[in-house]
Amino acid sequence: MLIGAFNLTKFIDSLSMTFVSGYFLLFVIIVVAFYYAASLKNRWVALLVGSLGFCAVMGGWQIVVMPVLVTVISYCAALMLEDKSEERSKRRIILIAAGAVLLIALALVKLNLYYKWDVKRFVFPVGISYYTFSAISYMADVYWGKDKAERNYFKLLLFISFFPKILQGPIARYKTLGKQLIIGHPFFYTQFCYGMQLAVWGYFKKMVVADRISILTTTVFNSYNNYGGAILFFSMILAALQLYCDFSGCMDIAGGVSQMFGISLEQNFNHPFFAKSGAEFWQRWHMTLSGWFKDYLFLPISRSSFVKKFSKKIGNKHGAKARKNTVIFISSFFVWMATGLWHGSGLPYIVWGIYWYVIINSSILLERPYASLKSKLKIDEDKFGWKLFQMIRTYLIFSFGRLLTIPNDLHATGEIIRNFFTKINMWELFDGTLYSLGLTIKEMHILAIAVVLLWIVEIQQTKFSVREKIANCNVVIRSLVYSGSVIIVLIYGIYGPVYEKASFIYMNF
Amino acid sequence: MEKLYELLENCCPTVDFKTEKELVSGKVIDSVDLVSIISDIEDEFGVNIDIAEIDPSNFDSAEQMWALIESLR
């Protein structure tokens, strides 16, 4: 256990290769060296070897099997889907069949996790949800004529297995990422530095904030009956922040490492806690997943003949607004069920999907009463106070939703919610109980300072590029910022026993 | 074209369709608005818009939508 002091030996020795590991840093240095040593034409080969090597070192060659098979299926399917001499109906069957095979494989992985079958090593390749969705979007885009089929199997394999994104995404589109991976990028010092900065910021979010909060939330939620409503509520608030820092931290590391190769990954987060409604939140949180569901589920369902006919019937009876709402309510139901099941296999995830379905759609359904209420209360929507209220409300809605899945047991969630109201014990926040949850007073202060720093940077990021601002400072300030950031992560990062190696939350999806 | 502007303004009254050139890629309209616009276009102009045509390059501006309608007629 080591909190607050850096132990290099433990840091290197204790971890298998995930992003938060000494081996990973060493690995990135090696791949970067090989990438820029290779000719421009062959740089993609260095990335492919590195990506397959990453999978192999991370979990053995079994982990490599699934991306290789997923690529075989999508490669063959895309070539057939592009052949316009085939009838459209036949190509459609190919798309459905290939998509179904990939989704069945994904479902088996999910069921294996849920029922704990004894085939874990083979069917639990990490990140399968992410690259399966990338493969399906690639095939669908080729089928619709929005993208061309890749002729070189190994180039497609690189797209599927590119190591910075294989663990937790983002869910890449071939149109955006594929060509970037294949073109050899020349070395640009500024871009390389920006990449390192972003990765260090990601490590700060993950190791200083998320893993520190994790100690507290794990203690509380593992024995929730021992704590009163105030502590439970406080932990619920922190758990939402933990998830954000864990996931967006990983995205920053992935984005930063990719940028070192001159490659831009798609944006996955856009300051979600500044969202003023549930709908806006999902436009800012895990954006590549929302975008995927929009393009490959919401649009096809809303354009299906059944939905079109049914909504038209409703529209003829009740008007255009009712028709529009019918389309939304039917299509988004499938989207939210799928989003829930994408995150996990049990009932809590289905309830979580229904929870968001109701929240988002009730705001559409109750749009007029809300507007009338706001007018009656004379609420000025441009006032900062109102916007702040909306942001806090959205944060609480998200935190509460997260509570449905944290214990992975609805009965436990119910108990926690009951304790919010029946065991309110505000005094627990001030009588020292807070410091008995795994974090000492000093650790809590570090956490508080880190969260304030996080928020300041997040606010600044909405106004200008913090990285460019730092880059424009003189060499002394720049060096202080760079070295200070690294030292903060090394000293205040969490490397203790409560911190489980490879424990990125979204890696399990 | 005037008919199209009228339809678009009815669907999203706060958006200036005469000047906006990044309706979808700039996230000025969301997927719900897009689906409504497509349904209204199909009803108004008697065309059938295939899912393959639902792409920012066809829906980023009123002019692009008009070009799509013309090509489908």
Side-chain angles (χ1 to χ4, degrees), chain A residues 88 143-146 175 283 287 294-295 298-303 308 312 320 323-324 327-328 364, chain B residues 11 24 27 30-36 38-40 42-43 48-56:
Chain A
R88 191 179 161 96
Y143 170 73
W144 287 325
K146 293 180 180 178
K175 210 167 25 173
Q283 287 166 8
M287 293 153 74
K294 182 196 88 183
D295 289 348
F298 182 85
L299 285 176
I301 292 174
S302 63
R303 303 294 304 143
K308 270 165 129 179
K312 204 166 186 175
R323 187 189 67 178
K324 182 179 167 179
V327 174
I328 297 165
I364 297 170
Chain B
C11 187
V24 179
K27 293 180 179 165
D30 60 19
S31 48
V32 171
D33 296 328
L34 183 62
V35 168
S36 305
I38 293 167
S39 301
D40 289 347
E42 286 182 331
D43 288 352
N48 185 38
I49 298 172
D50 193 83
I51 190 110
E53 275 131 8
I54 305 177
D55 191 80

Side-chain angles (χ1 to χ4, degrees), chain B residues 57-70:
Chain B
S57 61
N58 286 327
F59 287 92
D60 256 350
S61 69
E63 286 80 11
Q64 287 170 333
M65 290 184 218
W66 185 249
L68 176 68
I69 294 164
E70 292 280 271

Side-chain angles (χ1 to χ4, degrees), chain A residues 40 46 79 106 168 235 238 253 255 285 344 367 394 399 419 432 470:
Chain A
L40 279 175
L79 289 177
L106 179 61
Q168 293 194 90
S235 303
L238 283 183
I253 298 168
W285 177 281
E367 198 179 343
T394 308
S399 306
N419 288 349
I470 295 169

Side-chain angles (χ1 to χ4, degrees), chain A residues 64-83:
Chain A
V64 184
V65 172
M66 201 54 101
V68 167
L69 289 178
V70 167
T71 310
V72 168
I73 293 166
S74 44
Y75 174 79
C76 298
L79 289 177
M80 289 189 268
L81 290 166
E82 201 180 43
D83 183 3

